[in-house]
Amino acid sequence: MKLFLATLLASTAVFSAALAGETLDKVKARGSLVCGVSEGIAGFSAPDSTGTWAGMDVDFCHALSAAILGDATKVTFKPLTAQNRFTALQSGEVDILSRVTTYTLTRDTALGLDFGAVLFYDGQGFMVPAKLNITSARELDGATICMQTGTTNELNVADFFRSIGKPFSPLAIEDVNELNNAFFNSGRCDVYTGDTSGLAAWRSSLAQNKDDYVILPELISKEPLAAAMRHGDQQFGDIVRWVGFALIEAEEKGITQANADEMKSSADPTVQALLGVSPGLGKALGLDEAWALNAIKAVGNYGEIFERNVGAKTPLGLQRGTNALWNKGGLIYAPPAR
Amino acid sequence: MSHPAENKPAAGLFESLAALLRDRTVRRWVFQLAVTLSLVSFIGLLVAIAAGNLARQGIATGYGFLTGEARFEISESVIAYSAANSYGRALLVGFLNTLKVSLVAIVLATVIGTAVGIARLSSNRLLAGVAGAYVEGLRNIPLLLQLSFWYGLLTVTLPVPRAALNPVEGVYLSNRGVVLPMLEPHAAFGYAGICLAFGAAIAVLLNRLAARRQERTGRRTVIAPAVLFVLFVPVLAAWYFGGAPAALDMPRLQGFNFVGGVRLSPEFAALLFGLTAYSATFIAETVRGGIEAVSAGQSEAGRSLGLRPGLVMRLIILPQAIRMIIPPITSQYLNMTKNSSLGVAIAYPDLVAVGNVTMNQTGQAIEVVSIFMIVYLTISLAISGFMNWYNHRMALVTR
Ligand SMILES: N[C@@H](CCC(=O)N[C@@H](CS)C(=O)NCC(=O)O)C(=O)O
């Protein structure tokens, strides 16, 4: 599969390359958006019992398709492993990657990608069985630590143990089921490392008893998760970035899935511009003026997306914390849509 | 003395060129050259276009990344490796892991496959039946499934390190693999190794001399005692006079895991078992086919000379069968090397696994895939080269 994708990449590298405007034209011609997601991480992108994809990353794809095509349902989801996701994007298999992907310098440059708005501020942590009575990551020397290959996690954990000068036994597994099995079932590894939101997700969906596992307090990295697209297609990049910002702006302005249509009569000029009542923003992006309105009506504002998928009332039960709006003590911030 | 061109003074340049082309060897060379040149320029063109497009997409190109710091750890390695080493060294670690599992699996599968192939032809119904069931059963199950099975078996059924099975003092079996005691390194082992190499060379020489003498005189010289002597006595002497080191590095549980001794990981073991068990079925069939292709008259003749069945097999059938067996077995060895890359699915860090991580972290998919191709091509050529040489040696010597 990987080899196949790489060969595909080699051949598309020969025959095509992302050019400005190309992705948008392709999506419009096809009438649907192909969105690369995970193979099933609860709260971000996972198929439910009926096979319908759900999660924050999934909602963002729906918002994007609503903004571009005026129809939130026109999305084809393509599950990708951490390992093959970038090749799939580079080779044009998917239009966009909305798959718990950390925004890093190397990915932005050498991998030929661009990133949208950061829609989740995460950090890497460690999860251990509670019965080991471990309270700090510094007690983990010599432990066998499982992680997924092709992630930032694989690098961060090596950096962490190098910096504290202690050894550990790594076990990097590509397939996420094999990985979860190694930690939750066989005990092949003592510790599971990954983005803390991911650890919480696996714990909520796989542990028989949530309290059997603890996530240690240390965060060893910054994992700002954002959508990724091919470098070189600036127009599509702008669209992805600003659909993300629009969802954040909507929360700030109190525009919700339910009240979006009523808010069109708001006296606030920012709201009027965002919802396309006073035209201009849509045209600038090369989209319909109702782009943001459609996106918000499809999935709600940023806060609604968060609460519905990973918030306190979901199995993940995450607090807003760093992911609160900038004016509510968090980091979520959108440049002005004007 | 008389050159054709001199005889035909009127021959123009065109005609002599045409004459040249009529020459078969020349014509062949010209065509070969033309095909090669067009292929090379076609590939060159593709590379140029790809490079241009990758640059436009902003994807890094070139092999410079190989010297960059890898910054990821690898779960097992036969050479020293840490995250501070380069991508180049990480790929070397992966390559050596590929070689390690492939070579051991090739040796084991050859031994098991030959035994099973012969067993299938046994007059003992039960033995033949069991061998047949093994072959038909395993070769029809996809290797990937077999690997998952072995891996699951080893990691789920074996206990965690704290409850490790301890069948013999110093040997521990857990879902982290097998740990065994290991002799502490000592200079005397180096000397003993050198003596072993010399002893082996002398043993080979003795065997040659004995064979030559048998050809000349028809009498077989008994060399077994001499061979045993040169193989073992110098080694033992080197060890003894080197200080007779016998200190063992005993594995012991410390914190999460065992330290000391040598460890065989469950990933390696599962890949080795799966690859061996699967490939041995194909080798068994090849061996059976090779033996059956030797005409029945040969074994009848052998038996009427009064040879026991075992000797008939060893002296008459196998030497003839082997010439038919070697070419298909060679391709089986090549398959095994390539199939070892399925170990990615069970976290065995072979060349492909390390290469996948490298391309994911550096974005240099095309370069890494080109390294895969060159390495697998080289391994394949080396195996075929060796097997051709062996085949040549085994070829029927007609006197
Ligand atoms: N944010 C990190 C890691 C993302 C990641 O892939 N995490 C894993 C587990 S912590 C995951 O979500 N896997 C789901 C899957 O493979 O389907 C990155 O971008 O490299």
Side-chain angles (χ1 to χ4, degrees), chain B residues 228-239:
Chain B
L228 286 180
F229 183 85
V230 296
L231 277 185
F232 289 108
V233 174
V235 172
L236 287 176
W239 171 76

Side-chain angles (χ1 to χ4, degrees), chain A residues 26-43:
Chain A
K26 228 168 63 181
V27 171
K28 281 181 173 162
R30 204 195 291 119
S32 79
L33 177 79
V34 183
C35 175
V37 290
S38 79
E39 293 177 294
I41 178 160

Side-chain angles (χ1 to χ4, degrees), chain B residues 124-189:
Chain B
N124 180 332
R125 282 275 190 77
L126 181 67
L127 185 61
V130 170
Y134 161 69
V135 169
E136 294 308 330
L138 283 199
R139 77 169 168 170
N140 291 316
I141 301 172
L143 178 55
L144 197 56
L145 280 184
Q146 297 194 33
L147 294 182
S148 295
F149 166 79
W150 285 109
Y151 192 51
L153 191 75
L154 290 173
T155 54
V156 178
T157 54
L158 286 175
V160 296
R162 268 170 308 280
L165 305 177
N166 187 199
V168 191
E169 172 68 20
V171 176
Y172 295 94
L173 225 82
S174 71
N175 64 8
R176 307 296 155 85
V178 192
V179 276
L180 306 162
M182 175 69 181
L183 287 165
E184 301 260 22
H186 193 283
F189 295 123

Side-chain angles (χ1 to χ4, degrees), chain B residues 52-77:
Chain B
N53 283 341
L54 288 176
R56 201 152 12 142
Q57 223 166 307
I59 298 176
T61 48
Y63 290 87
F65 72 97
L66 286 174
T67 54
E69 195 179 78
R71 278 174 84 177
F72 59 87
E73 291 287 351
I74 300 178
S75 56
E76 57 189 284
S77 170

Side-chain angles (χ1 to χ4, degrees), chain A residues 30-112:
Chain A
R30 204 195 291 119
S32 79
L33 177 79
V34 183
C35 175
V37 290
S38 79
E39 293 177 294
I41 178 160
F44 291 88
S45 49
D48 67 13
S49 52
T50 65
T52 318
W53 286 88
M56 286 188 78
D57 286 347
V58 165
D59 280 351
F60 182 67
C61 289
H62 285 307
L64 201 56
S65 123
I68 296 173
L69 300 167
D71 184 344
T73 63
K74 292 284 180 349
V75 189
T76 312
F77 291 101
K78 198 152 237 162
L80 299 169
T81 67
Q83 182 73 260
N84 64 24
R85 58 184 153 167
F86 300 126
T87 326
L89 179 61
Q90 290 160 343
S91 66
E93 275 248 298
V94 296
D95 299 315
I96 181 168
L97 205 59
S98 185
R99 193 206 168 286
V100 286
T101 296
T102 306
Y103 181 2
T104 72
L105 188 148
T106 310
R107 289 174 178 176
D108 200 9
T109 55
L111 268 78

Side-chain angles (χ1 to χ4, degrees), chain A residues 37-41 45 80-82 85-86 99-103 107 148-153 174-176 179 192-195 198-199 202 223-225, chain B residues 360:
Chain A
V37 290
S38 79
E39 293 177 294
I41 178 160
S45 49
L80 299 169
T81 67
R85 58 184 153 167
F86 300 126
R99 193 206 168 286
V100 286
T101 296
T102 306
Y103 181 2
R107 289 174 178 176
Q148 195 163 25
T149 33
T151 58
T152 46
N153 310 134
E174 172 166 7
D175 179 71
V176 75
L179 170 66
Y192 194 158
T193 189
D195 299 351
L199 297 180
W202 298 126
E223 307 287 337
L225 309 183
Chain B
N360 186 287

